[in-house]
């Protein structure tokens, strides 16, 4: 009984931390922090279940974010990005069902480590004469769709594209919010088709809804009480460690 209780406590502690961090990210504070959720949850459940658990919570949080940034998005960029993202989601769906859990853990580990490395690379705002063309927009959208499907971590490819567009901060954030709100809705059917929304995942997700909303409120509070750079540095260290752990565990099992 003691071992079972310990496992339950660890399971729910990890779930609460993952959802809280995602809520903080969805508030507009430390936008990349939400990428830690799926790698963290994958330590205590299968990767596909972790992704399925987070999706309804992300959609709920997206609703609040869309309302917050209503009408401030860049329509032209969304038209370029969203259709391509559907291709990325489709590729993710086609490959997820063919991969074992260990292969998905391996991919998650690579995405987690790659996410941190990409965040550390210098990103400069582009100029009007140095904007990426439609091809790079399509590539960014498809890449974000794929990584979002497998890990809810489409931020790096999207951000690399948007940072070249010389957008105002509000326009940048609103465009990202609307992009992921759309892409998360697109992901619903594939996850249903993969039969990941079982009763256990749904009731656990329902219990975590208040935690998600607390996370959004906490993110707003942190904006005036904690440096975003400090918080993100903590998240990046955690995410890099999780990526290494998933990569190591997967390679051991696959070897």
């Amino acid at each position: 009984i003691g071992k079972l209780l310990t496992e339950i406590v660890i399971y729910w502690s990890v779930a609460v931390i993952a959802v809280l961090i995602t809520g903080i990210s969805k508030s507009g504070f430390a936008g990349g922090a939400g990428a830690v959720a799926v790698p963290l949850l994958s330590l205590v459940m299968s990767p596909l279940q972790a992704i399925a658990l987070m999706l309804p919570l992300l959609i709920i949080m997206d609703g609040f974010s869309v309302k917050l940034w209503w009408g401030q998005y860049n329509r032209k960029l969304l038209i370029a990005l969203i259709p391509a993202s559907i291709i990325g989601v489709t590729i993710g769906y086609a490959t997820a069902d063919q991969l074992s859990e260990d292969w998905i853990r391996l991919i998650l580990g690579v995405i987690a480590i790659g996410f941190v490395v990409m965040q550390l690379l210098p990103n400069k705002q582009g100029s009007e004469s140095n904007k990426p063309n439609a091809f790079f927009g399509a590539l960014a959208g498809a890449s974000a769709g794929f990584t979002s499907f497998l890990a809810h971590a489409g931020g790096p490819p999207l951000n690399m594209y948007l940072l070249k567009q010389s957008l105002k901060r509000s326009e940048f954030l609103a465009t990202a919010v609307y992009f992921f709100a759309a892409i998360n809705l697109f992901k619903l059917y594939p996850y249903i088709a993969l039969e990941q929304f079982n009763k256990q995942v749904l009731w656990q997700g329902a219990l975590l809804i208040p935690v998600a909303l607390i996370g959004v409120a906490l993110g707003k509070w942190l904006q005036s009480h904690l440096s975003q750079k400090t918080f993100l540095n903590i998240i990046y260290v955690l995410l890099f460690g999780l990526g290494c752990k998933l990569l190591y565990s997967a390679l051991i099992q696959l070897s």
Side-chain angles (χ1 to χ4, degrees):
I1 297 177
K3 183 179 178 181
L4 178 61
L5 287 174
T6 300
E7 290 177 354
I8 292 173
V9 169
I10 292 174
Y11 179 92
W12 281 103
S13 297
V14 169
V16 167
I17 292 170
V19 174
L20 270 178
I21 292 174
T22 304
I24 291 170
S25 174
K26 283 293 184 179
S27 73
F29 178 74
V36 78
V38 171
L40 186 58
L41 286 169
S42 295
L43 299 179
V44 295
M45 65 177 69
S46 78
L48 282 178
Q49 280 192 323
I51 299 166
L53 176 65
M54 288 302 302
L55 183 57
L57 296 170
L58 287 171
I59 291 173
I60 291 171
M61 288 184 276
D62 284 336
F64 287 91
S65 299
V66 164
K67 183 178 180 181
L68 181 65
W69 297 103
W70 186 260
Q72 300 182 62
Y73 57 87
N74 186 301
R75 183 187 298 271
K76 187 175 181 180
L77 290 178
L78 288 178
I79 291 173
L81 288 164
I82 290 177
S85 73
I86 298 175
I87 297 173
V89 169
T90 303
I91 295 172
Y93 168 58
T95 55
D97 199 31
Q98 307 300 317
L99 299 172
S100 68
E101 288 188 5
D102 289 317
W103 273 106
I104 293 177
R105 286 192 177 94
L106 183 89
I107 293 171
L108 283 177
V110 171
I111 290 174
I113 294 170
F115 185 100
V116 176
V117 172
M118 290 176 72
Q119 296 301 322
L120 296 177
L121 293 174
N123 277 312
K124 296 182 179 180
Q125 292 283 354
S127 63
E128 289 294 326
S129 61
N130 191 34
K131 288 187 178 181
N133 57 30
F135 171 77
F136 288 108
L139 183 62
S143 300
F146 178 74
T147 54
S148 180
F149 186 88
L150 286 181
H152 298 316
L158 178 70
N159 290 343
M160 288 181 69
Y161 179 72
L162 292 183
L163 282 168
K164 300 296 184 181
Q165 303 303 309
S166 301
L167 303 174
K168 295 184 295 183
R169 182 177 182 274
S170 59
E171 191 178 13
F172 178 98
L173 291 173
T175 302
V177 162
Y178 274 75
F179 175 80
F180 286 117
I183 208 173
N184 285 332
L185 287 174
F186 292 146
K187 290 187 294 189
L188 269 175
Y189 175 75
Y191 285 131
I192 292 172
L194 290 171
E195 298 181 346
Q196 294 303 311
F197 289 125
N198 55 47
K199 289 182 180 180
Q200 181 180 354
V201 167
L202 291 175
W203 75 257
Q204 288 176 350
L207 290 175
L208 289 167
I209 290 174
V211 179
L213 300 181
I214 290 171
V216 174
L218 182 59
K220 292 180 180 178
W221 181 83
L222 284 173
Q223 289 184 34
S224 57
H225 291 82
L226 179 68
S227 162
Q228 176 165 280
K229 184 177 180 180
T230 299
F231 183 78
L232 281 176
N233 285 338
I234 295 170
I235 294 299
Y236 293 156
V237 170
L238 175 60
L239 187 56
F240 187 82
L242 288 169
C244 291
K245 172 67 170 63
L246 289 170
L247 202 58
Y248 175 78
S249 298
L251 289 173
I252 290 295
Q253 292 298 319
L254 291 169
S255 63

